[in-house]
Coordinates of all heavy atoms in Angstrom, one line a residue:
T1431 N 40.2 -6.7 140.4 CA 40.3 -6.6 141.9 C 40.4 -5.1 142.3 O 39.8 -4.6 143.1 CB 41.5 -7.4 142.4 OG1 41.3 -8.8 142.2 CG2 41.8 -7.1 143.9
A1432 N 41.3 -4.4 141.5 CA 41.5 -3.0 141.8 C 40.2 -2.2 141.6 O 39.8 -1.3 142.3 CB 42.6 -2.4 140.9
V1433 N 39.5 -2.5 140.5 CA 38.2 -1.9 140.2 C 37.2 -2.1 141.3 O 36.5 -1.2 141.7 CB 37.7 -2.3 138.8 CG1 36.3 -1.8 138.5 CG2 38.6 -1.8 137.7
V1434 N 37.0 -3.4 141.7 CA 36.1 -3.7 142.7 C 36.4 -2.9 144.0 O 35.5 -2.3 144.6 CB 36.0 -5.2 143.0 CG1 35.3 -5.6 144.3 CG2 35.4 -5.9 141.8
L1435 N 37.7 -3.0 144.4 CA 38.1 -2.3 145.7 C 37.8 -0.8 145.5 O 37.4 -0.1 146.5 CB 39.5 -2.6 146.0 CG 39.7 -4.1 146.5 CD1 41.2 -4.3 146.6 CD2 38.9 -4.5 147.7
N1436 N 38.2 -0.2 144.4 CA 38.0 1.2 144.1 C 36.5 1.6 144.2 O 36.2 2.6 144.8 CB 38.5 1.5 142.7 CG 38.7 3.0 142.5 OD1 39.4 3.7 143.3 ND2 38.0 3.5 141.5
E1437 N 35.7 0.8 143.7 CA 34.2 1.1 143.7 C 33.7 1.0 145.1 O 32.8 1.8 145.6 CB 33.4 0.3 142.7 CG 33.8 0.7 141.3 CD 33.6 2.1 141.0 OE1 32.5 2.7 141.3 OE2 34.5 2.7 140.3
L1438 N 34.1 -0.1 145.9 CA 33.6 -0.2 147.2 C 34.2 0.8 148.2 O 33.6 1.1 149.2 CB 34.0 -1.6 147.7 CG 33.2 -2.8 147.1 CD1 33.7 -4.1 147.6 CD2 31.7 -2.6 147.3
E1439 N 35.4 1.4 147.8 CA 35.9 2.5 148.6 C 35.0 3.7 148.5 O 34.9 4.5 149.5 CB 37.3 2.8 148.2 CG 38.0 3.8 149.1 CD 39.5 4.0 148.7 OE1 39.8 4.2 147.5 OE2 40.3 4.0 149.6
K1440 N 34.3 3.9 147.4 CA 33.4 5.0 147.2 C 32.1 4.8 148.0 O 31.6 5.7 148.6 CB 33.1 5.2 145.7 CG 34.2 5.6 144.9 CD 33.9 5.6 143.4 CE 35.1 5.8 142.5 NZ 34.7 5.6 141.1
N1441 N 31.5 3.6 147.9 CA 30.3 3.2 148.5 C 30.2 1.7 148.8 O 30.5 1.0 147.9 CB 29.1 3.6 147.6 CG 28.8 5.0 147.6 OD1 28.9 5.8 148.6 ND2 28.4 5.5 146.4
P1442 N 29.6 1.3 149.9 CA 29.2 0.0 150.1 C 28.2 -0.4 149.1 O 27.3 0.4 148.7 CB 28.7 -0.1 151.5 CG 29.2 1.1 152.2 CD 29.3 2.1 151.1
M1443 N 28.1 -1.7 148.6 CA 27.2 -2.0 147.6 C 26.8 -3.5 147.7 O 27.6 -4.3 148.2 CB 27.8 -1.9 146.2 CG 27.8 -0.4 145.7 SD 28.4 -0.3 144.0 CE 29.9 0.6 144.3
L1448 N 27.1 -3.7 142.4 CA 28.5 -3.6 142.0 C 28.7 -4.1 140.6 O 29.4 -3.5 139.8 CB 29.3 -4.4 143.0 CG 30.8 -4.3 142.9 CD1 31.3 -2.9 142.9 CD2 31.5 -5.2 143.9
R1451 N 27.4 -1.5 138.2 CA 28.3 -0.3 138.2 C 29.5 -0.6 137.3 O 29.9 0.2 136.5 CB 28.7 0.0 139.6 CG 29.7 1.1 139.7 CD 29.0 2.3 140.3 NE 30.1 3.3 140.5 CZ 30.1 4.5 139.8 NH1 29.2 4.7 139.0 NH2 31.1 5.3 140.0
Y1457 N 36.3 3.4 132.4 CA 37.7 3.0 132.6 C 37.9 1.5 132.7 O 39.0 1.0 132.8 CB 38.4 3.7 133.8 CG 37.9 3.3 135.2 CD1 38.6 2.2 135.8 CD2 36.9 3.9 135.9 CE1 38.2 1.8 137.1 CE2 36.5 3.6 137.1 CZ 37.2 2.5 137.7 OH 36.8 2.1 139.0
L1474 N 38.1 -12.0 147.9 CA 38.5 -10.8 148.6 C 38.0 -10.8 150.1 O 38.7 -10.4 151.0 CB 37.9 -9.6 147.9 CG 38.4 -9.3 146.5 CD1 37.7 -8.1 145.9 CD2 39.9 -9.1 146.4
L1479 N 40.0 -8.4 152.6 CA 40.1 -7.1 151.8 C 38.7 -6.4 151.8 O 38.7 -5.2 151.7 CB 40.6 -7.3 150.4 CG 42.0 -7.9 150.3 CD1 42.4 -8.1 148.9 CD2 43.0 -7.1 151.0
I1480 N 37.7 -7.2 151.9 CA 36.3 -6.7 152.0 C 35.6 -7.5 153.1 O 36.1 -8.6 153.5 CB 35.5 -6.8 150.7 CG1 35.3 -8.3 150.3 CG2 36.2 -6.0 149.6 CD1 34.4 -8.4 149.1
E1481 N 34.5 -7.0 153.5 CA 33.6 -7.7 154.4 C 32.2 -7.4 154.0 O 31.9 -6.5 153.2 CB 33.9 -7.3 155.9 CG 33.7 -5.8 156.1 CD 34.3 -5.4 157.5 OE1 34.9 -6.2 158.2 OE2 33.9 -4.3 157.9
Y1495 N 28.5 -5.3 150.6 CA 30.0 -5.4 150.7 C 30.6 -4.0 151.0 O 30.2 -3.0 150.5 CB 30.6 -5.9 149.4 CG 30.1 -7.3 149.1 CD1 29.0 -7.6 148.3 CD2 30.8 -8.4 149.6 CE1 28.6 -8.9 148.1 CE2 30.4 -9.7 149.4 CZ 29.3 -9.9 148.6 OH 28.9 -11.2 148.3
T1496 N 31.6 -4.0 151.9 CA 32.4 -2.8 152.2 C 33.9 -3.2 152.2 O 34.3 -4.3 152.4 CB 32.1 -2.2 153.6 OG1 32.3 -3.2 154.6 CG2 30.6 -1.8 153.6
I1497 N 34.7 -2.2 151.9 CA 36.2 -2.4 151.9 C 36.7 -2.3 153.3 O 36.2 -1.5 154.1 CB 36.8 -1.4 150.9 CG1 38.3 -1.8 150.7 CG2 36.6 0.0 151.4 CD1 39.0 -1.0 149.6
T1498 N 37.7 -3.1 153.6 CA 38.3 -3.0 155.0 C 39.6 -2.1 154.9 O 40.0 -1.8 153.8 CB 38.8 -4.4 155.4 OG1 39.7 -5.0 154.5 CG2 37.5 -5.3 155.5
E1499 N 40.2 -1.8 156.0 CA 41.4 -1.1 156.0 C 42.5 -1.9 155.3 O 43.3 -1.3 154.6 CB 41.9 -0.7 157.4 CG 41.1 0.4 158.0 CD 41.2 1.7 157.2 OE1 42.3 2.1 156.7 OE2 40.2 2.3 156.9
T1500 N 42.6 -3.2 155.5 CA 43.5 -4.0 154.7 C 43.3 -3.9 153.2 O 44.2 -3.8 152.4 CB 43.4 -5.5 155.1 OG1 43.6 -5.6 156.6 CG2 44.4 -6.4 154.4
G1501 N 42.0 -3.8 152.8 CA 41.6 -3.7 151.4 C 42.1 -2.3 150.9 O 42.5 -2.2 149.7
R1502 N 42.0 -1.3 151.7 CA 42.4 0.1 151.3 C 43.9 0.1 151.1 O 44.4 0.7 150.1 CB 42.0 1.1 152.4 CG 40.6 1.4 152.4 CD 40.2 2.5 153.5 NE 38.9 2.4 154.0 CZ 37.8 2.8 153.4 NH1 37.9 3.2 152.2 NH2 36.6 2.7 154.0
D1503 N 44.6 -0.5 152.0 CA 46.1 -0.6 151.8 C 46.5 -1.4 150.5 O 47.4 -1.0 149.8 CB 46.7 -1.3 153.0 CG 46.6 -0.4 154.3 OD1 46.4 0.8 154.2 OD2 46.8 -1.0 155.4
Y1504 N 45.8 -2.5 150.3 CA 46.0 -3.3 149.1 C 45.7 -2.5 147.9 O 46.5 -2.6 146.9 CB 45.2 -4.6 149.2 CG 45.6 -5.6 148.2 CD1 46.8 -6.3 148.3 CD2 44.7 -5.9 147.1 CE1 47.1 -7.3 147.4 CE2 45.1 -6.9 146.2 CZ 46.3 -7.6 146.3 OH 46.6 -8.5 145.4
L1505 N 44.6 -1.8 147.9 CA 44.2 -1.0 146.7 C 45.2 0.1 146.5 O 45.6 0.3 145.3 CB 42.8 -0.3 147.0 CG 42.3 0.6 145.9 CD1 42.2 0.0 144.5 CD2 41.0 1.3 146.3
K1506 N 45.8 0.7 147.5 CA 46.8 1.7 147.3 C 48.0 1.1 146.6 O 48.6 1.7 145.7 CB 47.3 2.3 148.7 CG 48.3 3.4 148.5 CD 48.8 3.9 149.9 CE 49.9 4.9 149.8 NZ 51.0 4.5 149.0
G1507 N 48.4 -0.1 147.0 CA 49.6 -0.8 146.3 C 49.2 -1.1 144.9 O 50.1 -0.9 144.0
K1509 N 47.1 0.6 142.9 CA 47.1 1.8 142.2 C 48.5 2.3 141.9 O 48.8 2.8 140.8 CB 46.3 2.9 143.0 CG 44.8 2.7 142.9 CD 44.1 3.9 143.6 CE 42.6 3.8 143.5 NZ 41.9 4.9 144.1
R1513 N 50.0 2.9 138.1 CA 50.6 4.1 137.7 C 51.9 3.8 137.0 O 52.3 4.4 136.0 CB 50.8 5.1 138.9 CG 49.6 5.8 139.2 CD 49.9 6.9 140.3 NE 48.6 7.3 140.9 CZ 48.1 6.7 142.0 NH1 48.8 5.8 142.7 NH2 46.9 7.1 142.5

Side-chain angles (χ1 to χ4, degrees):
T1431 295
V1433 169
V1434 166
L1435 293 175
N1436 192 60
E1437 293 306 310
L1438 290 177
E1439 189 173 46
K1440 295 174 188 174
N1441 285 323
M1443 284 185 243
L1448 183 59
R1451 175 111 174 113
Y1457 72 86
L1474 296 177
L1479 301 178
I1480 64 171
E1481 56 192 14
Y1495 295 93
T1496 58
I1497 190 169
T1498 64
E1499 280 306 312
T1500 303
R1502 289 181 205 286
D1503 292 342
Y1504 192 72
L1505 176 60
K1506 182 185 177 308
K1509 284 182 173 182
R1513 277 186 202 92

